[in-house]
Amino acid sequence: MPQIKEQRILDYVLQNAVKGDPQSVVDAIDKYCSEKEWAMNVGNEKGLILDKIVSETNPSTALELGTYCGYSGVRIAQLLKPGACFLTVEKNPVHAAIAKQIFEFAGVQEKIKILEGSSEEIIPQLKSKHKVNTFDFIFIDHWSDRYTPDTKLLEECGLLKQGSVLLADNVIYPGAPDFLQYVRNCSRYECTNYPSHLEYMDKEDALEKAVFKG
Ligand SMILES: Oc1cc(-c2ccc(F)cc2)cc2nccnc12
Ligand SMILES: [Mg+2]
């Protein structure tokens, strides 16, 4: 019995999903986390909303804050057009290592680059070190107390352009009240709320989309 939950999730994927089939990896993680052990993947209900917004945005450049085991990274990567640049930031090296193996098994490792470290340390390096100009799409799913400071940091670092789409998970549970207050009261954002439920639970949650107006 592997010692940590994330390793057990990876083992379940390796034994139950189909190598090179991203959707089977997503489905296997959802099956394990709804039947065996809860984990903080965005899940299928919110995941379908994520899919719709990624497809509508059709980003050339995408950023994810909070990789965890790579569940949302696989969902996003499978929707990206060829040649799109997708970076995902993960502070926890153990989780980053699990996500790397999930991406490789799903066959999306060529589409996605994991940046290990804290968002506050990595965001200021994105233009210089990672040759990024601006992001078309950003999925915010790390720690809710970083949502607002990192959004401001993205603005200050010139990483947003007119039309950049920010999509934040967990704005109801665990909650990101200061982020909602910031983007909903800032004239530079056009906000839309997508009511849903906490992954694998009946608890209410929601995604918030904030489109940067420039
Ligand atoms: O989707 C999520 C859910 C939770 C979470 C934790 C504990 C609970 F009881 C309920 C929900 C934490 C998260 N942290 C970072 C990114 N996403 C998260
Ligand atoms: Mg989340």
Side-chain angles (χ1 to χ4, degrees):
M1 172 78 149
Q3 69 290 10
I4 62 165
K5 173 170 69 177
E6 292 75 18
Q7 184 65 52
R8 293 193 289 272
I9 292 171
L10 172 62
D11 287 353
Y12 185 84
V13 166
L14 299 179
Q15 284 151 27
N16 294 276
V18 175
K19 191 165 176 46
D21 177 349
Q23 194 55 47
S24 77
V25 169
V26 166
D27 294 341
I29 295 173
D30 281 332
K31 184 171 171 58
Y32 185 82
C33 294
S34 46
E35 292 176 5
K36 310 272 190 323
E37 294 186 83
W38 185 90
M40 60 180 173
N41 318 114
V42 74
N44 195 50
E45 186 181 316
K46 289 187 287 181
L48 287 166
I49 300 166
L50 168 66
D51 293 352
K52 187 169 73 71
I53 293 166
V54 170
S55 301
E56 283 166 2
T57 310
N58 192 25
S60 298
T61 52
L63 174 69
E64 176 179 60
L65 302 179
T67 316
Y68 189 43
C69 292
Y71 174 92
S72 47
V74 172
R75 286 197 85 115
I76 294 166
Q78 71 176 334
L79 295 171
L80 296 179
K81 58 194 165 193
C85 164
F86 180 23
L87 305 177
T88 184
V89 178
E90 179 51 57
K91 189 174 185 175
N92 181 316
V94 174
H95 296 168
I98 298 282
K100 184 172 181 291
Q101 295 172 78
I102 290 281
F103 294 150
E104 285 163 359
F105 188 83
V108 298
Q109 74 285 350
E110 298 301 314
K111 291 170 172 275
I112 186 165
K113 187 173 180 190
I114 304 177
L115 305 180
E116 266 187 60
S118 67
S119 49
E120 62 266 30
E121 145 202 323
I122 288 182
I123 288 171
Q125 297 174 345
L126 288 171
K127 281 197 185 251
S128 54
K129 198 169 168 191
H130 301 288
K131 304 289 162 275
V132 170
N133 184 17
T134 56
F135 288 106
D136 301 318
F137 178 80
I138 300 170
F139 185 46
I140 306 174
D141 190 24
H142 52 340
W143 302 112
S144 51
D145 58 0
R146 288 296 319 168
Y147 284 20
T148 305
D150 285 345
T151 299
K152 290 178 176 174
L153 194 53
L154 288 162
E155 290 172 21
E156 288 151 16
C157 294
L159 288 161
L160 303 182
K161 67 175 184 188
Q162 184 167 8
S164 291
V165 173
L166 280 67
L167 183 66
D169 190 22
N170 310 117
V171 297
I172 302 299
Y173 197 89
D178 60 305
F179 173 77
L180 288 182
Q181 209 267 337
Y182 175 66
V183 288
R184 290 177 178 178
N185 295 293
C186 173
S187 59
R188 302 179 78 184
Y189 291 97
E190 199 76 46
C191 297
T192 311
N193 186 261
Y194 297 85
S196 185
H197 294 90
L198 181 66
E199 49 268 24
Y200 320 116
M201 306 288 283
D202 287 343
K203 235 179 194 332
E204 307 229 321
D205 190 12
L207 296 170
E208 184 83 358
K209 182 174 80 170
V211 181
F212 190 64
K213 309 311 284 176

